[in-house]
């Protein structure tokens, strides 16, 4: 049995892992899926004071409170930033890091610096200065109508302040812990060149999963097979 900590990305919450968690648990694994401050069922906490440090603290404090050790941390999309922070804060509690179609921000770098400037400008134009409203499910590669209908009402605005917050780590993302990158390729969310550049700089192997960005929704069974390996 393994312990999995599943961390969501922007506009999502722990809810997005329901199907993956169900399958992993039927295989005997322990699974937790915390929600970061200001998102999901914690959307009432949205503010302009939320930073990447907040998201890292959310994850680390969750692991400490649940006394999680030898854990496999899976960070989807924006959630990869908190994984990098946890890798420095509690490395002794982590067995492996899995960056699932994640953005990979370097020490001191801001997510806004690696997001496509046209996409970022559009997001900021739509924000109220505190939060960016969620795009439609199709932006996450969810093309099935039933899946989209399940996801749409659960998406919540994402705090703008996290986009302009530097990642507070001292070393390289992953802190030298065992790690891998899973790239979702149908449709592509991050450019392959960007993905392989992140992975090469961090020394991570890259696996490809032929499904959309929200793999935990679009193909949870295939994702579980990768995670369970």
């Amino acid at each position: 049995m393994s312990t999995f900590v599943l961390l969501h990305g922007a506009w999502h919450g722990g809810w997005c892992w329901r199907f993956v968690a169900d399958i992993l648990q039927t295989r005997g694994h322990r699974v937790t899926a915390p929600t970061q401050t200001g998102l999901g069922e914690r959307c009432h906490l949205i503010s302009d004071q939320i930073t990447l440090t907040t998201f890292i603290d959310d994850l680390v404090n969750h692991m400490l409170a649940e006394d999680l050790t030898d854990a496999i941390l899976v960070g989807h999309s924006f959630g990869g930033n908190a994984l990098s922070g946890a890798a420095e804060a509690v490395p002794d509690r982590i067995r492996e890091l899995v960056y699932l179609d994640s953005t990979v921000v370097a020490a001191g770098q801001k997510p806004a610096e690696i997001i496509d400037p046209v996409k970022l400008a559009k997001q900021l134009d739509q924000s109220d200065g505190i939060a960016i409203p969620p795009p439609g499910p199709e932006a996450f590669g969810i093309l099935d109508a039933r899946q989209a209908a399940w996801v749409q009402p659960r998406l919540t605005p994402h705090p703008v302040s996290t986009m302009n917050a530097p990642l507070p780590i001292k070393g390289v993302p992953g802190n030298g812990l065992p790690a891998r990158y899973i790239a979702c390729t149908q449709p592509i969310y991050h450019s392959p060149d960007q993905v392989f550049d992140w992975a090469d700089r961090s020394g991570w192997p890259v696996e490809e999963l032929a499904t959309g960005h929200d793999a935990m929704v679009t193909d949870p069974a295939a994702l579980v097979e990768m995670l369970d390996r």
Side-chain angles (χ1 to χ4, degrees):
M1 183 189 79
S2 297
T3 297
F4 286 89
V5 182
L6 310 176
L7 192 64
H8 64 88
W11 301 292
H12 290 60
W15 58 265
C16 70
W17 295 102
R18 180 184 301 177
F19 309 115
V20 167
D22 285 349
I23 300 171
L24 286 172
Q25 287 169 339
T26 62
R27 296 186 178 193
H29 301 299
R30 181 181 181 186
V31 182
T32 64
T35 293
Q36 296 184 308
T37 301
L39 292 157
E41 73 276 12
R42 305 181 69 204
C43 61
H44 59 288
L45 299 176
I46 194 75
S47 80
D48 59 2
Q49 300 301 305
I50 300 170
T51 67
L52 296 186
T53 298
T54 310
F55 281 1
I56 293 167
D57 289 345
D58 285 337
L59 176 57
V60 169
N61 288 335
H62 171 79
M63 294 181 68
L64 295 175
E66 296 291 336
D67 194 22
L68 303 179
T69 58
D70 197 32
I72 299 169
L73 272 56
V74 184
H76 176 242
S77 198
F78 203 83
N81 299 312
L83 250 65
S84 297
E88 281 198 352
V90 287
D92 55 319
R93 291 179 176 267
I94 299 170
R95 181 200 303 180
E96 183 184 7
L97 303 167
V98 181
Y99 288 79
L100 174 60
D101 222 28
S102 298
T103 53
V104 181
V105 178
Q109 191 176 36
K110 302 173 182 177
E113 295 172 8
I114 65 170
I115 297 173
D116 177 87
V118 175
K119 182 186 294 186
L120 179 63
K122 182 179 180 181
Q123 291 173 347
L124 295 178
D125 284 345
Q126 294 173 340
S127 79
D128 59 2
I130 296 177
I132 302 169
E138 68 279 358
F140 307 112
I142 300 174
L143 307 179
D144 178 88
R146 286 178 298 176
Q147 292 173 346
W150 184 76
V151 168
Q152 180 69 67
R154 292 171 170 81
L155 297 172
T156 49
H158 186 87
V160 174
S161 50
T162 61
M163 299 291 185
N164 294 306
L167 183 64
I169 63 173
K170 297 178 181 179
V172 297
N175 194 30
L177 296 173
R180 54 185 163 136
Y181 191 101
I182 297 176
C184 298
T185 60
Q186 291 185 13
I188 291 172
Y189 190 81
H190 298 298
S191 75
D193 288 345
Q194 192 175 39
V195 166
F196 282 102
D197 179 59
W198 290 334
D200 286 345
R201 282 190 281 122
S202 303
W204 303 331
V206 177
E207 298 175 85
E208 295 186 1
L209 186 57
T211 192
H213 182 58
D214 270 16
M216 73 290 290
V217 175
T218 56
D219 200 345
L223 177 57
V224 166
E225 289 303 322
M226 278 193 167
L227 298 180
D228 211 6
R229 282 207 299 271

